[in-house]
Each structure stands twice: as structure tokens, then as C-alpha cells.
Amino acid sequence: MKASVWESKFSSRTERMTSSAIRELLKVAARPEVISFGGGMPAPELFPREEVSAATERVLKNPELANQALQYGTTEGLPALREWIASFMSKDGLEVNPDNVLITSGSQQALDLLGKIFIDENDYIVVENPTYLGALQAWAPYGAEYATVPMDQDGMITDALPHAFAKNPKFIYALSNFQNPTGVSMSLERRQKLVELSTKYQVPIVEDDPYGALCFEAVPTPSLLAIESQYENELKSEPSNVVYLSTFSKILTPGLRLAWVIAPDKVINKMVQAKQGMDLHTTTFAQCVAYEVARTGFLDGHIQKIIECYRRRRDVMLESLEENMPVNKGITWTNPQGGLFLWITMPEHINTTRLLEESLKDNVAFVPGDSFFPLGGGKNTMRLNFSYMPDAKINEGIGRLSQVVKRML
Ligand SMILES: Cc1ncc(COP(=O)(O)O)c(C=O)c1O
């Protein structure tokens, strides 16, 4: 197509926009012959088609519900769904008021809204290194800069936070549970330390928690939101220093594009104003259907089913790595206790983008880790998703990938 007059009209903001390496990769990985450990996709065979179908029918057959579902709605979200979320979230000593719940079109929209209301050009955000690529993409147009904090097997190394605070950051972006991309969770001690430092230095926290409900262990660790709600300190000037995000994407279906934010009144009000300019409100139809599914208590059992499936797939992937990856070559991987992802660190000289080029020839896809590092690095790392492929394909894919690794070593 001819270059159009529009090209010279793009705002300078658009120069900072880039396509996600993962989205581009998903296009290749969508070929049916590819064994994909690439995207962050839930297992489609677990989508509750019948429950969603029955809920949709109930909504549409009832004139009152149908009118609500097909009409414009309030920006804050469907009141009944906000109440359901408030009660779903009220645990570990935390009590959530439905007024502090905002429904968004995916957590991805919440990240953009947060960028819009908090980030001025050259503002610093504290992020884990590596961190969720989608947040970096959402905040790039607002001109965010990053102060990175290293991680180990207990998550963000909180001792490094005071150094990062020297940049006068707007907030700390923390992925407390089964982090995307590493699968690592923050230990309870680190969570407590993070809340303590956040209060002491008055740097608030954005806790992004899409995977917390998918915990393979018997006792989940309390969220930063729950810990902070219990934290009494004379320095605490706000009712909550934590803005919390979670989503229906991994516990119901991502196609509904439904997520929620829990935040203090002032933040909710600003996000509502920003959201009005963006999409007026999240689709009422999806909200009504999700509420019809959730209100029966269906999700409790469904989440258990998802956990069982992903735990098994995690085990298959770990066993296959043990069996097939070359030993004593300095290759290490994480042992996630929930979520969707596992993280591999290769020896320094292995470039995982090159590795991907090779493995795609054998029809195996993963995500090279470097794009999760906002300041560069991580060229020898990679993210593997274990939720999407059936067990036999995981085995087959890891077998093939290990052969490619052996050739490259
Ligand atoms: C850490 C994190 N935040 C946000 C999102 C976006 O989720 P949603 O589907 O609710 O937009 C994802 C999706 O994978 C994620 O991993």
C-alpha cells in the first residue's frame, strides 16, 4: 500500500511503541505443527463451555438481565460482579469494600490506566528484573524509566529497594505470585519487608496477581494487599499503599477480557475518569455472563481442576527437563509452585534468540528471556509455558528442544 498522509501525523508518543516479541512469536507458534511453550495461554480444553453457554442463555432469556447485559453500564463495573469480587478477595484478614473494586477490560487495561494516571515522562518505576513485558509495553508511551531490582528464588531482593528508591520512583511494580516470566513467588518474609519499606519510604506498590489463585501448594502465601491491610505503622498516611490487580483470564477464560483492580477511593476515581475516555466501561455482556457463572460457586471447583491439570503439566515438564537436558553444562531452571511459567537460564554463551531460530526449525517455540529485562541483559534466558500443551506434547517438545540445545553447546 502507498505511504499515506497519516504517517507524518503520528504523535511522538508512538515512537516509543513497539510490538511485543511474544505477540509476533505467537503468529508463528499458531501453526498446528508447532509445539508451543511460547504464549501465556490457558489450556483451552478446560474452558467451561457448557457453564458459559448456560449462563449466557440465562442472561438473554431473562428480560431484566438481558436489558442490563445489552445496555451501556457504569464505568466502575456491574455492581453484582464487584460485590462477588470483593467477597472472593476477602481473606487472610483482608476485607474488601465493593466500592474499591473497578472492573477493567483485562488487567492489561488496568496497567495502561495506571500508566495514564501516574506516569509522567521520565518518571521512574521500580520493577523486578526480569518483569512482565506487557507492563513495559503499556508504560512505554508514557515515557516510563525503570529502576530494576534483582530476583532470586524468593522473588524480588528487597535489600536492593532503598538503592532503587534513590530515583524517586512513582511506585513499585511487584508480581508476588508465580511471576511472569520466571514462575518465582515472593517469600512471606520478602513480602513483609517490601510492605515495610514501601511504608517507610512512601513508595506505593502495584501488585499484579493474575496467577495467585493457581497455587499448587496447600497453603497460599497472603497477598501484599492482605499483608499491607494488617500493617500498622505511624508512617502510614493512606488507607492502602497497595493497588492490586487480578483477572478472570486464568481462572475462567481470557476471551471475556475481564479483570479487576482493588484500590483506595482516590485512585479508583482517577482510574474511572481515565477509563471513561478509553472505553466508557468494560463490556456489560461479558460481566453479566461472568457473574452468572461465578455466583453459583462454580469457580471454586473449576479452579481446583485447573490447578490439578497445570500441576501435572509442570511435573511433566520438570521430569522431561531432568531426563533430556544435558547435565553439568550450567543449565538451570525454576521450580514453580503455581501459575503457568518456568524459566530456564542457559550458560552465558548461549543466545536464546538464536536457540529459538533453531528450535523453530524443529517446530518448538518458547520466548527468549531478554525482552523481559527493561535495561537489557538476559540473552541466555528463556520462558517456557507449561499450561497450554497436553502432557505428551510437553514431553515431545522438551525432548526436541534438548536436542537443539545439545547441538548448540
Ligand atoms: C503479569 C500479568 N499481568 C497482566 C496480564 C494481562 O492479563 P489480562 O488477560 O487480564 O489482560 C498478564 C497476562 O498474561 C500477566 O501475565
Side-chain angles (χ1 to χ4, degrees):
M1 239 200 282
K2 257 189 2 195
S4 77
V5 64
W6 292 108
E7 276 175 67
S8 60
K9 311 290 184 194
F10 284 131
S11 71
S12 50
R13 199 177 308 118
T14 63
E15 285 166 25
R16 302 195 203 99
M17 293 177 180
T18 51
S19 294
S20 149
I22 300 175
R23 296 259 129 208
E24 292 304 309
L25 180 91
L26 280 176
K27 290 181 196 160
V28 183
R31 295 196 317 247
E33 65 275 21
V34 173
I35 298 180
S36 179
F37 304 130
M41 291 198 282
E45 60 275 29
L46 295 182
F47 290 154
R49 287 206 310 269
E50 275 174 24
E51 286 72 17
V52 173
S53 166
T56 306
E57 199 165 314
R58 284 203 298 278
V59 167
L60 291 179
K61 291 251 162 89
N62 176 320
E64 207 178 309
L65 290 182
N67 279 349
Q68 194 172 32
L70 300 174
Q71 188 55 279
Y72 283 116
T74 54
T75 308
E76 288 84 349
L78 191 75
L81 187 61
R82 294 169 77 203
E83 268 169 41
W84 184 88
I85 290 165
S87 114
F88 180 71
M89 289 299 305
S90 293
K91 55 182 172 234
D92 298 323
L94 174 71
E95 266 186 49
V96 176
N97 181 335
D99 289 345
N100 295 101
V101 177
L102 167 68
I103 312 275
T104 58
S105 308
S107 283
Q108 195 58 39
Q109 182 185 50
L111 291 169
D112 189 21
L113 289 168
L114 290 170
K116 207 169 193 174
I117 68 167
F118 286 120
I119 303 176
D120 288 317
E121 223 165 289
N122 303 322
D123 273 348
Y124 275 84
I125 310 298
V126 176
V127 293
E128 292 151 351
N129 205 29
T131 189
Y132 173 52
L133 175 60
L136 302 177
Q137 253 200 316
W139 298 332
Y142 301 109
E145 304 275 352
Y146 298 100
T148 59
V149 177
M151 295 178 65
D152 62 16
Q153 70 282 358
D154 288 327
M156 177 195 292
I157 299 176
T158 39
D159 284 349
L161 277 172
H163 180 71
F165 290 162
K167 299 280 190 189
N168 192 24
K170 279 285 172 75
F171 57 81
I172 306 155
Y173 177 57
L175 297 127
S176 45
N177 291 310
F178 324 119
Q179 194 226 30
N180 182 0
T182 61
V184 165
S185 273
M186 278 185 96
S187 66
L188 180 61
E189 294 71 31
R190 291 265 176 89
R191 289 176 201 228
Q192 286 163 337
K193 189 77 191 166
L194 172 55
V195 166
E196 188 188 314
L197 290 171
S198 152
T199 309
K200 181 172 169 198
Y201 288 83
Q202 286 293 288
V203 184
I205 300 167
V206 170
E207 178 177 26
D208 189 1
D209 184 26
Y211 307 107
L214 304 183
C215 176
F216 305 160
E217 288 168 299
V219 187
T221 315
S223 63
L224 297 167
L225 180 69
I227 293 171
E228 206 265 353
S229 75
Q230 308 286 306
Y231 190 75
E232 296 299 333
N233 189 305
E234 72 278 8
L235 289 168
K236 201 162 152 180
S237 59
E238 274 267 302
S240 174
N241 284 0
V242 179
V243 166
Y244 176 93
L245 319 181
S246 194
T247 178
F248 283 103
S249 288
K250 319 292 171 172
I251 57 171
L252 182 54
T253 105
L256 287 175
R257 308 306 302 129
L258 281 181
W260 64 90
V261 180
I262 297 171
D265 299 345
K266 290 226 162 65
V267 178
I268 292 283
N269 292 345
K270 236 350 135 196
M271 289 183 91
V272 164
Q273 288 169 2
K275 188 168 159 64
Q276 279 169 2
M278 214 179 261
D279 64 355
L280 300 181
H281 61 79
T282 294
T283 149
T284 36
F285 189 70
Q287 291 186 72
C288 288
V289 170
Y291 175 66
E292 270 304 303
V293 173
R295 75 176 175 82
T296 59
F298 165 78
L299 284 179
D300 292 342
H302 185 60
I303 289 170
Q304 282 314 310
K305 216 166 119 185
I306 299 174
I307 287 175
E308 273 156 39
C309 172
Y310 293 0
R311 186 198 283 123
R312 198 188 59 244
R313 289 182 180 181
R314 187 261 334 244
D315 288 343
V316 171
M317 187 171 271
L318 285 174
E319 277 159 27
S320 198
L321 284 167
E322 285 294 343
E323 234 165 73
N324 293 292
M325 275 289 166
V327 284
N328 300 329
K329 298 284 182 188
I331 305 173
T332 59
W333 49 85
T334 57
N335 182 355
Q337 302 302 307
L340 272 63
F341 304 109
L342 176 150
W343 182 252
I344 304 186
T345 307
M346 288 281 159
E348 286 288 338
H349 68 280
I350 298 287
N351 178 315
T352 50
T353 303
R354 278 271 307 116
L355 181 66
L356 176 64
E357 281 163 20
E358 289 304 308
S359 76
L360 278 175
K361 290 178 194 160
D362 284 348
N363 288 328
V364 179
F366 60 85
V367 182
D370 56 352
S371 44
F372 300 98
F373 291 82
L375 306 181
K379 291 202 178 304
N380 59 327
T381 61
M382 56 207 272
R383 188 191 76 178
L384 266 62
N385 164 276
F386 53 77
S387 60
Y388 182 58
M389 284 282 143
D391 303 15
K393 292 254 180 176
I394 294 178
N395 229 335
E396 169 74 28
I398 295 294
R400 281 193 223 164
L401 180 64
S402 304
Q403 289 305 319
V404 180
V405 171
K406 280 179 193 156
R407 286 205 299 275
M408 277 188 77
L409 284 169

